[in-house]
Amino acid sequence: MYISKAFIPILKNNPSEAKIKSHQLMLRVGMIKQSSAGIYSWLPMGFKIMKKIEKIVREEQNKIGAQEILMPTIQSSEIWKESGRYEDYGEEMLRIKDRQNREMLYGPTNEELVTDIFRSSVKSYKSLPQLLYHIQWKFRDEIRPRFGIMRCREFYMKDAYSFDITDEEALFSYNKFFLAYLKTFKRLDLTAIPMAADTGPIGGNLSHEFIILAETGESKIYTDKRIFDLDSEGTKLDKKSLEELRKKYEKFYSVTDEKFNKNEFEKKVSETNRLKTKGIEVGHIFYFGDKYSKPMGASVDLPEGKKDFVKMGSYGIGVSRLVGAIIEAKYDDKNEVMKWPISVAPYDLSIIPMINKNDTSVLKKANQINLELEKNGIETIIDDTEENLSSKIKKMNLIGVPYQIIIGKQTDGDLLEFKEIGKEAKKINLSEIIKIIKEQKTKN
Ligand code: P5A
């Protein structure tokens, strides 16, 4: 893709209305455009990145046996009246009337709708467990939408729902998502820590928020630093391994402020390991038993012939919020350098030819290199403008493509100037470059 043809409307300066770096960068590079308060259009760069995040989220859901569905954004109020949440949800719910005067709403979450789908089709314990998910826009009429797509009104969420017959089986499902979340965030090159959390309007008594550290985050957290050394490496998908994984994390005190207890914190965590800081909630999982299945009558036949209400959990990831969260974690705003993890980068590599009006040879060379890279599945963007090198580099530093090849008139033979963004350049040949990038891509 030539940069002259790409729809990347870069601004010269940081927009003054943006208070945090992710919001600044997203507007500056033209990843999003606000259409009204808390509602955004996604432009090619932002959309590309979000779609790559979505793909990773989807792959990790599929790996634990969750099945993808797609529920609508608009729901009927009936099912929310059945569960008892229609009144409770309050002003955050966008309520709509259709031409027949029927009460509809733009879904803020889907516990009711998925329970309705489940109860109409699943009748026996033999079909359990069921893990269903979808990736769909949500609307919450936030009182103060802020920080761009971090806390907005319309946002893109992956929400999954589990159905089981016993508490024990339901916790097995819960733990599968616990693992899937750790793996998903790791593939996005984020360290997201599971923290015991409140359940708010979703309900239940077991819940973890997955939080990445960021000064600009809205969640206050209290944690034991040692939790950052843990990972899910080697965890298998059986009951015992998953339980051990969760226990391994729960051994270290780690909570959001609603769950904070000063005495407990000071008793369980030595002074040197205490960390009180802020973070961004990128995922949230809940176990709430029969909170929805009971009032909505979602039951199945049990082996002994009796019936019981299914035990449910729900599991959310803020797919659109993750775009901002990765920026908060990776953008060096002092030097104005962004580096997207290769797993979600809008392009793998940028080609920066030093182009002179009357000489097309450098651009020709860039095109040849590009052809070779494309053959190897490496996606590139070519800066075909006639700007000088330093402004081209500055622009690419904002766009955040992780690797660069710089081609000058002097470039001859096989050696190319290759650079990982923000680092020193080195001279290597194209096949080595291809090898490095392919390796990085397959690691993920
Ligand atoms: C779990 C899935 C739920 O809604 N029901 C279905 C449960 N959980 S949640 O914590 O309320 O939301 C899940 C994730 O969605 C993101 N998120 C937001 N992103 C941007 N703007 C918002 N206003 C917003 N609200 C929630 C968060 O990442 C959250 O963890």
Side-chain angles (χ1 to χ4, degrees):
M1 169 69 86
Y2 283 143
I3 209 163
S4 63
K5 303 286 183 297
F7 193 90
I8 309 178
I10 294 189
L11 304 174
K12 269 218 154 55
N13 298 305
N14 277 334
S16 60
E17 74 264 31
K19 300 280 177 281
I20 65 172
K21 50 188 178 176
S22 58
H23 192 194
Q24 285 166 1
L25 187 73
M26 290 184 82
L27 293 175
R28 179 104 181 254
V29 183
M31 295 171 67
I32 50 170
K33 183 179 184 318
Q34 182 172 317
S35 82
S36 54
I39 301 178
Y40 291 85
S41 297
W42 288 77
L43 308 184
M45 266 272 295
F47 192 57
K48 228 168 172 241
I49 293 165
M50 184 165 74
K51 284 284 154 186
K52 289 197 172 179
I53 295 173
E54 178 184 348
K55 181 170 174 276
I56 290 176
V57 169
R58 173 178 291 117
E59 284 170 4
E60 293 302 323
Q61 295 295 292
N62 294 343
K63 276 189 203 159
I64 59 163
Q67 299 169 71
E68 188 167 11
I69 59 176
L70 183 59
M71 295 178 267
T73 54
I74 306 289
Q75 305 180 18
S76 153
S77 66
E78 296 302 318
I79 46 177
W80 287 72
K81 286 180 181 161
E82 277 189 61
S83 74
R85 273 209 297 184
Y86 192 56
E87 297 310 324
D88 290 356
Y89 218 92
E91 306 235 78
E92 257 191 32
M93 181 185 274
L94 180 66
R95 295 156 207 259
I96 312 161
K97 280 215 172 115
D98 71 7
R99 66 205 296 169
Q100 319 286 359
N101 225 21
R102 280 186 293 243
E103 291 172 323
M104 312 293 285
L105 57 100
Y106 194 125
T109 177
N110 284 56
E111 280 79 7
E112 283 79 358
L113 194 46
V114 80
T115 305
D116 179 50
I117 292 170
F118 178 90
R119 69 177 170 188
S120 63
S121 322
V122 182
K123 303 291 178 202
S124 162
Y125 75 96
K126 288 182 189 152
S127 312
L128 301 188
Q130 282 293 334
L131 312 180
L132 301 174
Y133 75 97
H134 77 158
I135 305 175
Q136 177 63 292
W137 294 94
K138 305 286 183 293
F139 195 95
R140 293 183 185 171
D141 202 354
E142 299 274 349
I143 184 158
R144 262 189 304 279
R146 58 193 174 276
F147 304 149
I149 49 82
M150 293 291 238
R151 177 161 303 277
C152 47
R153 298 200 296 165
E154 191 184 39
F155 60 98
Y156 203 40
M157 191 205 285
K158 184 285 298 178
D159 40 326
Y161 304 86
S162 65
F163 303 85
D164 285 278
I165 32 170
T166 61
D167 275 325
E168 191 194 327
E169 290 299 317
L171 290 181
F172 182 25
S173 293
Y174 186 92
N175 293 342
K176 286 180 193 165
F177 285 99
F178 192 92
L179 172 67
Y181 277 34
L182 290 172
K183 287 187 158 180
T184 304
F185 299 127
K186 190 168 176 200
R187 284 181 67 187
L188 299 172
D189 210 14
L190 294 174
T191 309
I193 302 297
M195 309 213 169
D198 242 10
T199 56
I202 307 293
N205 49 25
L206 169 66
S207 164
H208 287 89
E209 279 183 19
F210 287 76
I211 292 192
I212 65 160
L213 298 190
E215 269 312 308
T216 48
E218 293 188 281
S219 309
K220 272 198 199 127
I221 54 174
Y222 299 83
T223 179
D224 185 325
K225 282 179 193 157
R226 290 172 297 174
I227 203 165
F228 291 94
D229 301 331
L230 303 180
D231 70 29
S232 64
E233 209 59 52
T235 305
K236 296 202 186 74
L237 218 53
D238 61 78
K239 238 182 226 174
K240 192 159 159 275
S241 308
L242 289 171
E243 209 177 292
E244 277 165 8
L245 175 72
R246 190 146 71 83
K247 278 207 186 116
K248 187 168 90 175
Y249 274 88
E250 284 177 339
K251 214 171 93 194
F252 296 107
Y253 189 87
S254 199
V255 301
T256 59
D257 59 345
E258 307 106 354
K259 289 267 178 191
F260 178 61
N261 177 311
K262 191 164 179 283
N263 289 338
E264 208 184 339
F265 187 44
E266 288 174 359
K267 208 174 108 202
K268 286 191 175 157
V269 190
S270 71
E271 216 170 321
T272 46
N273 287 327
R274 275 176 218 155
L275 180 66
K276 179 183 157 204
T277 184
K278 286 189 186 152
I280 301 165
E281 177 198 326
V282 286
H284 199 164
I285 60 178
F286 302 81
Y287 178 54
F288 40 71
D290 60 10
K291 176 176 174 187
Y292 300 89
S293 57
K294 201 170 173 182
M296 294 185 68
S299 59
V300 292
D301 297 329
L302 300 180
E304 321 84 72
K306 280 194 284 187
K307 265 179 178 299
D308 200 6
F309 300 113
V310 283
K311 308 269 199 274
M312 293 174 57
S314 74
Y315 314 88
I317 289 184
V319 178
S320 50
R321 177 180 285 183
L322 270 167
V323 180
I326 295 174
I327 298 174
E328 291 298 323
K330 307 285 176 202
Y331 181 43
D332 169 359
D333 58 338
K334 282 205 186 65
N335 299 310
E336 301 201 317
V337 179
M338 176 62 198
K339 183 183 176 204
W340 288 100
I342 191 111
S343 56
V344 299
Y347 301 93
D348 301 317
L349 179 136
S350 55
I351 302 176
I352 307 175
M354 297 320 305
I355 295 170
N356 186 319
K357 256 197 193 100
N358 312 313
D359 180 3
T360 54
S361 68
V362 180
L363 187 59
K364 245 190 207 145
K365 175 135 189 144
N367 286 334
Q368 276 164 6
I369 291 173
N370 180 46
L371 222 59
E372 196 53 34
L373 289 162
E374 272 182 356
K375 265 194 233 153
N376 283 280
I378 294 169
E379 214 183 338
T380 64
I381 182 156
I382 306 174
D383 192 338
D384 59 329
T385 65
E386 285 169 16
E387 289 167 28
N388 62 39
L389 182 63
S390 84
S391 58
K392 282 185 169 180
I393 295 276
K394 237 173 134 177
K395 182 168 47 174
M396 282 303 176
N397 283 348
L398 287 175
I399 295 175
V401 178
Y403 296 100
Q404 303 174 341
I405 293 176
I406 297 158
I407 310 169
K409 201 146 175 50
Q410 306 84 324
T411 308
D412 53 79
D414 286 342
L415 288 185
L416 296 170
E417 202 171 319
F418 174 69
K419 194 164 162 343
E420 190 177 333
I421 199 165
K423 297 215 172 129
E424 289 297 308
K426 53 182 172 186
K427 291 212 160 154
I428 56 176
N429 66 35
L430 189 56
S431 57
E432 280 176 274
I433 294 174
I434 291 172
K435 195 167 151 238
I436 292 173
I437 297 179
K438 272 189 160 171
E439 241 170 51
Q440 289 302 316
K441 280 172 76 111
T442 48
K443 249 194 206 160
N444 203 261

